[in-house]
């Protein structure tokens, strides 16, 4: 596989973002494009490259179409400001992703995009949901691992018209116990995911939803990653 590290300068945010493009060695005409928030964490903690290699060995014909765009938000405070709706750069980050980053990156990819999805954990899943909400018709798949959504984010979904997203949503049964390390507030992640699931169903999304005997931690998301990627590859 090929991993190319790049830098993107945002005029909207007036800063540089590091990102990686991860592809198979063999390029295909069609692309299944997956944007990954918390990209560096998915590489280092989620072992995404190992999961990708397993897919290439098991299902080479379709897995070769995968193109990962892994975006890194910066340090923990940068991440909160970009990914949380109370963050200083939340709205600007959504505009940056939608109006600056996606168009330019996809010109560089230069392939026919058959599927376009978003993958994220915790707050990265929240920003993924909100990015999709900016242009719902643009996205085919959402892969949400323990999404740290609030009532306001669920209201955003409620305001959308009918959506045709294919959603993979997973959450741990013990995640209502999780308290944010930055804000010291209980995020009620299990409860909010149940509410989000109901709202997504109401809006027409097709969902694979599961609650597992897990806590809010990378060990959970890493073990669940293959299921999420297979959903992206094989669910249409």
């Amino acid at each position: 596989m090929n991993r190319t590290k790049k830098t993107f300068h945002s005029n909207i945010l007036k800063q540089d973002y590091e990102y990686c493009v991860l592809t198979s060695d063999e390029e295909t005409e069609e692309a299944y494009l997956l944007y990954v928030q918390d990209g560096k964490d998915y590489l280092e903690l989620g072992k995404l490259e190992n999961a990708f290699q397993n897919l290439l060995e098991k299902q080479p014909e379709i897995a070769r179409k995968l193109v990962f765009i892994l975006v890194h938000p910066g340090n923990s405070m940068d991440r909160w400001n970009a990914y949380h709706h109370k963050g200083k750069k939340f709205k600007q980050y959504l505009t940056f992703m939608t109006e600056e980053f996606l168009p330019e990156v996809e010109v560089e990819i230069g392939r026919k995009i058959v599927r376009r999805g978003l993958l994220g954990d915790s707050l990265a899943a929240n920003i993924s949901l909100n990015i999709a909400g900016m242009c719902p018709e643009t996205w085919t798949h959402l892969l949400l691992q323990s999404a740290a959504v609030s009532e306001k984010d669920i209201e955003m979904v409620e305001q959308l018209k009918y959506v045709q997203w294919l959603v993979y949503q997973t959450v741990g049964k013990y995640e209502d116990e999780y308290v944010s390390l930055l804000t010291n507030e209980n995020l009620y992640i299990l409860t909010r995911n149940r509410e989000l699931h109901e709202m997504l169903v109401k809006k027409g999304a097709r969902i694979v939803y599961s609650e597992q005997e897990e806590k809010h931690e990378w060990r959970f998301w890493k073990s669940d990653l293959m299921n999420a990627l297979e959903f992206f590859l094989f669910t249409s």
Side-chain angles (χ1 to χ4, degrees):
M1 69 182 70
N2 296 313
R3 176 165 41 142
T4 306
K5 186 176 179 180
K6 300 188 176 187
T7 302
F8 188 101
H9 179 75
S10 169
N11 292 319
I12 291 171
L13 290 161
K14 296 180 175 56
Q15 70 181 84
D16 292 338
Y17 277 95
E18 292 181 2
Y19 73 101
C20 287
V21 179
L22 183 65
T23 65
S24 68
D25 293 327
E26 184 178 333
E27 187 170 310
T28 57
E29 289 185 9
E30 296 182 339
Y32 289 5
L33 199 55
L34 187 60
Y35 289 86
V36 185
Q37 303 295 322
D38 274 353
K40 188 175 180 181
D41 289 340
Y42 268 99
L43 287 172
E44 296 178 357
L45 302 176
K47 304 299 180 186
L48 185 142
E49 285 177 307
N50 292 348
F52 187 23
Q53 185 61 47
N54 288 338
L55 287 170
L56 288 168
E57 292 170 3
K58 289 170 57 179
Q59 302 282 350
E61 291 300 319
I62 192 166
R64 281 197 289 265
K65 296 180 181 181
L66 266 173
V67 177
F68 296 92
I69 310 295
L70 301 112
V71 186
H72 184 57
N75 63 34
S76 58
M77 202 65 222
D78 293 332
R79 178 179 184 268
W80 191 88
N81 278 319
Y83 288 2
H84 195 285
H85 72 267
K86 291 182 180 178
K88 294 177 181 178
K89 296 184 177 180
F90 178 74
K91 291 182 179 179
Q92 295 97 317
Y93 188 82
L94 292 175
T95 306
F96 151 67
M97 285 295 302
T98 304
E99 297 183 8
E100 280 189 319
F101 188 71
L102 269 70
E104 187 168 323
V105 166
E106 294 185 7
V107 168
E108 288 185 12
I109 295 299
R111 301 198 219 174
K112 179 183 178 182
I113 299 169
V114 178
R115 298 185 183 190
R116 186 185 285 106
L118 289 152
L119 166 64
D121 66 289
S122 192
L123 274 180
N126 179 59
I127 196 66
S128 295
L129 176 68
N130 279 274
I131 290 168
M134 290 281 285
C135 297
E137 67 283 354
T138 298
W139 303 96
T140 59
H141 293 69
L142 300 184
L143 314 178
L144 309 177
Q145 296 185 298
S146 302
V149 293
S150 67
E151 291 178 340
K152 187 169 183 177
D153 301 305
I154 297 170
E155 287 172 5
M156 178 278 295
V157 177
E158 185 176 18
Q159 292 168 10
L160 298 175
K161 295 180 180 179
Y162 183 84
V163 298
Q164 294 183 309
W165 299 330
L166 299 167
V167 181
Y168 180 87
Q169 183 185 4
T170 187
V171 65
K173 292 182 179 179
Y174 309 109
E175 294 200 59
D176 267 357
E177 303 168 7
Y178 179 74
V179 175
S180 169
L181 299 176
L182 280 178
T183 64
N184 203 35
E185 63 180 326
N186 193 312
L187 303 182
Y188 300 105
I189 288 174
L190 174 60
T191 299
R192 295 287 179 261
N193 270 267
R194 288 172 173 170
E195 294 169 351
L196 175 62
H197 173 245
E198 291 179 5
M199 185 57 65
L200 286 168
V201 170
K202 181 180 177 181
K203 290 297 172 178
R206 290 166 49 201
I207 306 177
V208 169
Y209 174 82
S210 68
E211 297 179 5
Q212 301 185 33
E213 301 286 334
E214 298 285 357
K215 298 179 181 179
H216 193 75
E217 55 192 17
W218 264 104
R219 185 187 63 80
F220 171 27
W221 307 324
K222 175 185 173 183
S223 67
D224 182 61
L225 185 56
M226 275 293 284
N227 293 329
L229 295 179
E230 287 178 342
F231 176 88
F232 181 59
L233 283 180
F234 301 113
T235 305
S236 60

